[in-house]
Amino acid sequence: MPTVSSEELAAAAGVNSAKLRKDFSYLGSYGTRGVGYDVEYLVYQISRELGLTQDWPVVIVGIGNLGAALANYGGFASRGFRVAALIDADPAMAGKPVAGIPVQHTDELESIITDNGVSIGVIATPAGAAQQVCDRLVAAGVTSILNFAPTVLSVPDGVDVRKVDLSIELQILAFHEQRKAGEEAGATAAADSAAVPAAPRTDSATDQGPDGDVPAVMPA
Amino acid sequence: MPTVSSEELAAAAGVNSAKLRKDFSYLGSYGTRGVGYDVEYLVYQISRELGLTQDWPVVIVGIGNLGAALANYGGFASRGFRVAALIDADPAMAGKPVAGIPVQHTDELESIITDNGVSIGVIATPAGAAQQVCDRLVAAGVTSILNFAPTVLSVPDGVDVRKVDLSIELQILAFHEQRKAGEEAGATAAADSAAVPAAPRTDSATDQGPDGDVPAVMPA
DNA sequence: ACATGTGAACAGCTTCACAGCT
DNA sequence: AGCTGTGAAGCTGTTCACATGT
């Protein structure tokens, strides 16, 4: 399939075709009227705009289960990410290969960053070590940090941090799950009122307390 | 601090205080005029609305590095999630404890789901096994799935799927990183034109080809 | 006096609809 | 004839500003 229309792409993505065309138009005019978009050319242009055609060396700090999982993750290489180094504070880990890459000790952090021109760091350490690792990464020249540790990192201006909380996605599922259950069976879930903190007390007789509080439901 | 105002919360969260009040108002009227919101009461009401006060048994299927990392993840318990079982297809894993929970074989999947009343499943298998695992989870009664495998799962209506792609966050960072670099040094990144697929050829003399295409920059 | 809760104004994003090009 | 690219219309989500309640 050498060419594709906005209608086809929109159907596949589940969005409106006008929106898709307008979004593409922000990148430039890469389509041909009466024909559609040349697939290979479009893929390249989008990839380039997203930065996928560049080589991004990254370091992963904290090689526990999560760090190892990230090091083994296949999706990185195909998107331009290259794991330049794995770093861990445990001297016993040093030299051990994980995903074919030998783990290096935290002492080497600064030289690794500098020598490889790394601007993106991944923190997969325990919460207690995260801020300190972050500070060292930033001092060594890293300007983008992906944080898996359950801590809010503070960084100077000009440094981007994205925090990944693995339980937030579960919370979203649980939220919808709760809704599903609620639709079938009424508000049975609000029954364990023993654990409910009392509402701030007032003299008003209109305060019905938690049991009566079935909150207004948000639209969709 | 027993009480907090929308102004304080908004400042802490980096949003507008009117938005915060309007959002809270969808859950009910949990504030007191002239005073603010009772912290403990507000926390409880939000927790309940999000489903955090319920007990959610979950199963994790695929106990590789990522599955193990998830099993060890501390953030789950405090949000009402309880790891009911760890499941893996490798018979050699069966019985081995991970995060204090013995791994069970895939053969037991259906009975585990049923016996524990599990409605949320986490898939951390390789891509090839994901759809099959998904089908078995759904058939056994699971209605929400968190998918870490790099596959798009197809499920019947009424089942929610959320896909977590660990490289997407890195892509977002790389995108911003590219922008930072572009601002300082002009469009040096578009130089490797050897790898650029040719634009669809036309007879028009106005087609400048990829080198001239510096796409319009999106606002913000 | 002070802070919530909310109608009304505003802004930004999405969709429509069609001119313009192949 | 067909499909893109885009002004204009429409809509959704945000912010203002103040009436209302403590």
Side-chain angles (χ1 to χ4, degrees), chain A residues 132-208:
Chain A
Q132 195 191 333
V133 166
C134 173
D135 292 343
R136 288 181 63 184
L137 287 172
V138 170
V142 166
T143 48
S144 291
I145 288 175
L146 183 56
N147 178 32
F148 285 89
T151 326
V152 175
L153 297 175
S154 55
V155 291
D157 278 1
V159 177
D160 282 344
V161 177
R162 295 193 67 90
K163 184 171 183 299
V164 177
D165 182 337
L166 296 172
S167 72
I168 278 186
E169 297 291 327
L170 267 185
Q171 278 190 44
I172 294 170
L173 284 172
F175 178 76
H176 290 299
E177 194 67 34
Q178 179 175 238
R179 284 292 173 84
K180 289 184 205 167
E183 277 159 23
E184 296 156 14
T188 48
D192 56 332
S193 51
V196 179
R201 274 299 134 196
T202 68
D203 295 340
S204 164
T206 61
D207 182 356
Q208 302 184 340

Side-chain angles (χ1 to χ4, degrees), chain A residues 68 71-72 83 86 95-103:
Chain A
N72 280 296
V83 178
L86 305 177
K96 280 192 188 169
V98 170
I101 302 166
V103 175

Side-chain angles (χ1 to χ4, degrees), chain A residues 64-129:
Chain A
N65 279 314
L66 183 56
L70 292 169
N72 280 296
Y73 190 65
F76 290 158
S78 64
R79 265 103 162 209
F81 299 106
R82 180 169 51 81
V83 178
L86 305 177
I87 302 175
D88 199 280
D90 181 0
M93 290 285 293
K96 280 192 188 169
V98 170
I101 302 166
V103 175
Q104 294 176 266
H105 189 262
T106 318
D107 289 346
E108 324 258 1
L109 191 145
E110 283 77 10
S111 61
I112 293 168
I113 303 288
T114 313
D115 294 352
N116 293 276
V118 173
S119 56
I120 302 179
V122 178
I123 297 180
T125 65

Side-chain angles (χ1 to χ4, degrees), chain B residues 169-197:
Chain B
E169 297 292 327
L170 267 185
Q171 278 191 45
I172 294 170
L173 284 172
F175 178 78
H176 290 300
E177 194 67 34
Q178 179 175 240
R179 283 293 172 87
K180 289 182 204 166
E183 278 159 25
E184 298 156 13
T188 48
D192 55 332
S193 51
V196 179

